[in-house]
Amino acid sequence: MTFARLRSLPDPDHLPALDAAHLSAEPARGLGPTDPAPRILLLYGSLRERSYSRLCVEEAARLLQRMGCETRIFDPCDLPLPGAPGDDDHPAVRELREHAFWSEGMVWCSPERHGQVSGVMKLQIDHLPLSLGGMRPTQGRTLAVMQVSGGSQSFNAVNTLRLLGRWMRMVTVPNQSSVAKAFQEFDEAGRMKPSAYYERIVDVMEELVRFTILVRPHAVQLVDRYSERKAAGVPVEITSDLSAIAAAPP
């Protein structure tokens, strides 16, 4: 499949706001296997030419790459409305879902609009079904949430993103980022200035990498569900199910 909607990341190795002496290049060392590189999909919620949610996602992608991850940034500019005729067959929808299946973790960053996530952000999530052809594009994956605001700091958008992440059966990391007055936090080149806001993004990306590596060896078991086994008529094998062995009578 040809990926026509992945944004290129400008200056991926240039992190002017980062004090590299204090960054752990391997934040998940000792937590689990780090090979192959963790695969992270990043989504943003604005189509403006100078989109601060996109700029935040780009800063996050550079940090993730510095920490050994493989990243993809999806461009939602031509996604159709959910439920529009033929939306499931639209090339943008098919591509978004392909990236979701590829990923082990995600970053969602939305501007706050009228106290909520933007329509563009929700549009992308609405195109990710809980189940597709017997496969699940989000279940069991890790998630980090961020938001940008034009005014004072708020957490309305990240709170909604957490709710959506839970609904999509994702493992959302505890930390989060909310950048207030985002128009003041970036230089003319679109690079984030050194600040406590930038440091929080570094914190969140470190945490995302750690949780992704922690979850990786257990991803299948963590999303194993009684209701789905019952619907599929698949009984638990008592010889391989540790919980069944522990509960079995002597």
Side-chain angles (χ1 to χ4, degrees):
M1 181 176 181
T2 301
F3 296 136
R5 294 164 182 83
L6 289 182
R7 292 192 63 92
S8 60
L9 183 63
D11 296 321
D13 300 319
H14 182 50
L15 291 89
L18 179 71
D19 187 341
H22 300 285
L23 179 73
S24 174
E26 298 179 70
R29 178 184 293 182
L31 297 179
T34 57
D35 186 26
R39 303 181 302 275
I40 308 297
L41 173 64
L42 300 98
L43 307 180
Y44 59 93
S46 169
L47 301 182
R48 290 178 176 175
E49 182 177 354
R50 188 173 170 85
S51 162
Y52 294 109
S53 61
R54 191 195 76 239
L55 294 178
C56 277
V57 152
E58 290 177 352
E59 294 292 352
R62 294 183 186 98
L63 290 163
L64 289 166
Q65 290 187 13
R66 179 69 68 93
M67 297 175 200
C69 297
E70 186 179 351
T71 65
R72 294 180 180 179
I73 302 174
F74 180 76
D75 185 343
C77 65
D78 63 338
L79 278 173
L81 290 174
D87 64 332
D88 284 337
D89 295 322
H90 192 284
V93 175
R94 293 202 309 269
E95 183 171 336
L96 172 61
R97 292 172 178 176
E98 194 72 25
H99 296 314
F101 281 123
W102 165 86
S103 71
E104 294 179 272
M106 297 189 192
V107 176
W108 295 349
C109 183
S110 177
E112 182 171 318
R113 296 273 179 85
H114 303 301
Q116 266 301 335
V117 299
S118 68
V120 173
M121 190 76 244
K122 185 63 162 55
L123 176 67
Q124 295 172 85
I125 299 169
D126 284 348
H127 278 301
L128 296 175
L130 287 175
S131 179
L132 185 65
M135 301 177 67
R136 300 189 180 277
T138 56
Q139 181 169 305
R141 287 162 175 78
T142 53
L143 172 66
V145 296
M146 306 194 298
Q147 77 167 72
V148 294
S149 303
S152 58
Q153 192 173 43
S154 170
F155 301 95
N156 291 319
V158 286
N159 287 340
T160 295
L161 292 175
R162 284 189 178 281
L163 187 155
L164 290 167
R166 183 175 74 243
W167 188 259
M168 303 303 289
R169 301 172 183 173
M170 303 180 77
V171 180
T172 308
V173 304
N175 213 343
Q176 62 189 24
S177 168
S178 175
V179 180
K181 296 183 179 179
F183 62 92
Q184 296 180 347
E185 298 302 319
F186 292 84
D187 62 23
E188 292 182 359
R191 298 308 306 272
M192 200 166 185
K193 304 172 186 176
S195 68
Y197 294 131
Y198 180 81
E199 292 175 5
R200 176 57 67 89
I201 292 177
V202 180
D203 291 346
V204 174
M205 293 308 111
E206 282 186 337
E207 194 166 281
L208 176 64
V209 174
R210 292 186 181 115
F211 272 81
T212 302
I213 294 302
L214 278 170
V215 168
R216 172 183 273 178
H218 312 290
V220 173
Q221 185 177 0
L222 287 172
V223 298
D224 185 32
R225 292 170 176 266
Y226 161 80
S227 59
E228 293 171 1
R229 293 194 302 273
K230 185 174 183 294
V234 178
V236 170
E237 291 290 338
I238 195 166
T239 56
S240 60
D241 182 63
L242 296 180
S243 61
I245 293 171

